[in-house]
Amino acid sequence: MRTCFAEVLARESACLAGVTDGAMLADWRRRVVKELMTPRSPYALALRHSGDVPERAALLDRWRELIAETLERLLQSGAVGNSLCSSAQTPRGDIDAQKAAVLILAALHGGSTLSQIARDPWPLNAALDFALAPFAATEDDGPTRTRNE
Amino acid sequence: MYIQGVGDTTLDDVLAASGVSKSQLYHHFDGKDALVRAVIDLVGERVIERERDALGHVSTIAGLRRWRDALVQNNALRHGAYGCALGSLASEVTDHDALARQALSHLFAEWQELLAGVLRRLQDNGVLAPEASVDQLATGLMAALQGGYMLAQTARDVTPMATSIDMALAHIESLSAD
């Protein structure tokens, strides 16, 4: 168990550090979805509940920080947040990166549970489209509604 | 059982907790899988009944916030330790037991349909934009809720659950029809 936490953290540190625009954020998200939908992958194991694991709390804390730092960087550079501001959505100047990171992590966690019981990547993709909407890092053609991937 | 987790629960634990003998237990349940399914049915029925009462007539964002407040307050009483009974079962049972997985999948679909019903009423009232995808929003809200429960459970603090649902509701509100 401990090794899967370390592996997820190492990979997330490296991948998120390289994200500098919305397209790279979308790439990151695609990769994480693939990992989470792979049975017994370090990602799938790390988010799996079993017992009281302080290491999981540490992983989730650090992962949330890494996501928040990435969002902060994207917002400050203007790479996301100022473009594509449709009239139906709020202005992006007031996005709270810390709180948005909590929602994204919850979407990864809750979405992968829903996808695992449904045996379908759709719920996880829909959850991430929802959580990442302010950062416009949705899938190009939206989540495909296939029942058996 | 859902406090300890399905994987870590043995039949001996169940016997110790319930005070019944092994022969009595096997008389009623054909092994651990059958017992797990009975727990899923029981927990599922309770959760769906609670959520139908809470969401069945909600047709405003304020109503959704009251639903959120009740769930967060209830979970805060225990520092988030127990999480969502149904979500905890879902994150444990998935691999070996296809019937349990399907039962959980149906229960989550039923719960999510209650959320979708609220979102459709928001659309009917002109609060939510007609082009918003109710299915996607209901899934996003359910994942935010379940993920929030799991983050709270791991952190032993209800704050991430509150933040997660608040951000989800803020996003839904941002899609309001003008």
Side-chain angles (χ1 to χ4, degrees):
Chain A
M1 258 324 221
R2 197 163 302 197
T3 52
C4 76
F5 293 129
E7 187 168 348
V8 170
L9 206 48
R11 284 207 230 164
E12 287 303 294
S13 297
C15 292
L16 283 167
V19 171
T20 54
D21 61 26
M24 289 179 184
L25 189 63
D27 286 344
W28 164 78
R29 159 259 172 85
R30 263 189 288 276
R31 192 186 53 78
V32 174
V33 168
K34 203 174 155 205
E35 294 282 358
L36 283 171
M37 291 308 296
T38 304
R40 318 294 301 167
S41 75
Y43 283 71
L45 290 174
L47 291 193
R48 199 78 192 248
H49 262 257
S50 68
D52 183 14
V53 186
E55 287 88 353
R56 179 184 293 116
L59 164 74
L60 293 175
D61 253 2
R62 186 63 196 130
W63 200 354
R64 179 185 44 73
E65 284 171 8
L66 289 169
I67 295 170
E69 286 162 14
T70 304
L71 299 179
E72 204 81 74
R73 198 167 60 240
L74 292 176
L75 289 169
Q76 274 173 14
S77 72
V80 301
N82 296 320
S83 59
L84 301 170
C85 190
S86 77
S87 61
Q89 288 169 325
T90 51
R92 280 45 187 313
D94 58 353
I95 295 175
D96 183 326
Q98 299 297 328
K99 290 182 175 174
V102 174
L103 177 60
I104 291 169
L105 196 57
L108 284 171
H109 214 322
S112 65
T113 300
L114 295 176
S115 273
Q116 276 160 21
I117 58 165
R119 285 284 190 271
D120 181 351
W122 193 84
L124 177 57
N125 273 313
L128 284 171
D129 281 347
F130 180 92
L132 290 166
F135 304 93
T138 55
E139 292 285 67
D140 301 334
D141 46 356
T144 41
R145 185 126 218 187
T146 47
R147 281 290 146 198
N148 295 301
E149 181 163 284
Chain B
M1 179 189 279
Y2 79 80
I3 297 168
Q4 191 170 349
V6 173
D8 296 332
T9 303
T10 65
L11 280 180
D12 287 334
D13 293 331
V14 175
L15 297 177
S18 61
V20 292
S21 74
K22 209 161 213 165
S23 61
Q24 282 174 309
L25 189 70
Y26 278 114
H27 181 71
H28 289 287
F29 296 105
D30 185 20
K32 186 176 161 184
D33 283 355
L35 179 60
V36 168
R37 274 171 231 147
V39 170
I40 290 171
D41 288 345
L42 183 68
V43 167
E45 195 178 323
R46 278 197 208 154
V47 169
I48 296 297
E49 196 180 304
R50 181 195 75 202
E51 292 299 294
R52 188 172 288 125
D53 285 350
L55 292 167
H57 300 288
V58 170
S59 58
T60 59
I61 297 277
L64 268 180
R65 290 199 200 285
R66 282 193 291 275
W67 163 78
R68 167 263 186 228
D69 288 348
L71 289 178
V72 170
Q73 271 168 26
N74 189 36
N75 203 32
L77 293 175
R78 304 170 296 192
H79 301 286
Y82 296 167
C84 169
L86 212 50
S88 300
L89 288 165
S91 63
E92 305 247 358
V93 159
T94 50
D95 274 349
H96 72 288
D97 188 343
L99 284 175
R101 187 176 59 70
Q102 281 162 15
L104 283 162
S105 191
H106 286 138
L107 286 164
F108 272 101
E110 204 176 336
W111 189 353
Q112 203 171 296
E113 186 47 39
L114 292 169
L115 289 172
V118 173
L119 297 173
R120 275 192 291 272
R121 286 192 287 281
L122 287 175
Q123 275 181 329
D124 291 345
N125 295 344
V127 175
L128 186 64
E131 66 271 20
S133 163
V134 164
D135 255 8
Q136 197 218 21
L137 294 180
T139 305
L141 184 51
M142 178 58 83
L145 170 64
Q146 289 303 323
Y149 267 120
M150 292 161 188
L151 294 179
Q153 195 172 29
T154 306
R156 290 284 188 267
D157 175 7
V158 80
T159 310
M161 175 198 183
T163 303
S164 167
I165 309 176
D166 285 344
M167 292 300 284
L169 293 180
H171 176 55
I172 289 170
E173 199 168 27
S174 79
L175 302 174
S176 62
D178 284 321

